[in-house]
Amino acid sequence: MHEMSAVSRIITRAAAAALLAAGPGLAAQSPADPGGIWRTEDNRARIRIEPCGSRPGQVCGYLVWMEDGLDPKGRPLRDLRNPDPARRSQALLGEQLLAGAVRPSDGRIAGRIYDAESGKSYDVTLWRDADSLKVEGCVLAIFCATQTWSRVKDALPGQLVGATGAANGPRPEQVRARPPVPGQK
């Protein structure tokens, strides 16, 4: 069950903490589209989900707000458990947690989500349910936990509201993107 708590933590903390009005490119295209800003079930983080730049059909998610975004010395939290030592000094706020997720035939979105608390990535499935987003994280495709995230339309102090890659916006990171699925555009 220790692995299950890791999955629950990744989802609960928006896969970080260590996933405002909709900004450019965030307006939902259909009732099933996950695009927008989502508040995690525990209200400790907000994740912005949007198309992945120049990769049509893929979805990315960015940590745009954290309840506790500062360390005890008042500095922005860093990605200290990142498996890449060169990235451990990177700020968590703005980090890309969900990258290159694709929509399989069942209409859900499947991919990988990064958990900065553990430095690990997990399988994740997303799907819309009315005005909520269901987020299921799994370890070994056996131990899974599902949460319900709520859409938000306001911006909190400290929330990143700029376009991805722009000032006051999250950072796109190609390193977490999955390669495109053959035959998918």
Side-chain angles (χ1 to χ4, degrees):
M1 282 302 197
H2 181 264
E3 288 296 329
M4 186 59 154
S5 66
V7 170
S8 183
R9 235 182 7 254
I10 176 180
I11 295 172
T12 301
R13 299 198 64 168
L19 211 189
L20 99 115
L26 296 181
Q29 301 299 315
S30 73
D33 189 329
I37 311 271
W38 300 94
R39 181 183 63 232
T40 59
E41 192 170 90
D42 65 1
N43 297 321
R44 295 175 69 183
R46 289 180 175 198
I47 308 300
R48 182 163 85 193
I49 297 179
E50 63 189 28
C52 291
S54 65
R55 296 184 309 257
Q58 295 186 18
V59 177
C60 289
Y62 304 92
L63 179 63
V64 295
W65 180 84
M66 296 184 296
E67 179 180 59
D68 299 316
L70 301 175
D71 69 14
K73 294 182 180 180
R75 297 175 301 203
L77 288 177
R78 303 288 174 194
D79 193 3
L80 299 175
R81 299 189 195 276
N82 195 302
D84 178 355
R87 297 180 59 172
R88 292 181 183 157
S89 63
Q90 178 173 285
L92 282 177
L93 187 64
E95 180 137 8
Q96 185 171 340
L97 306 176
L98 175 68
V102 296
R103 191 181 303 269
S105 60
D106 68 357
R108 295 179 179 211
I109 294 175
R112 302 278 292 167
I113 194 163
Y114 174 68
D115 174 17
E117 186 174 280
S118 69
K120 296 179 181 179
S121 293
Y122 299 91
D123 291 329
V124 68
T125 304
L126 311 171
W127 67 96
R128 287 284 305 274
D129 181 19
D131 205 31
S132 64
L133 184 68
K134 300 292 184 179
V135 181
E136 180 183 66
C138 296
V139 174
L140 303 174
I142 298 172
F143 303 104
C144 300
T146 303
Q147 285 200 356
T148 302
W149 292 358
S150 302
R151 181 182 295 281
V152 295
K153 298 189 187 242
D154 63 336
L156 295 175
Q159 183 170 321
L160 299 178
V161 295
T164 302
N168 196 25
R171 301 175 304 278
E173 299 175 40
Q174 302 300 326
V175 295
R176 289 208 176 92
R178 280 191 168 189
V181 175
Q184 185 149 21
K185 297 182 180 183

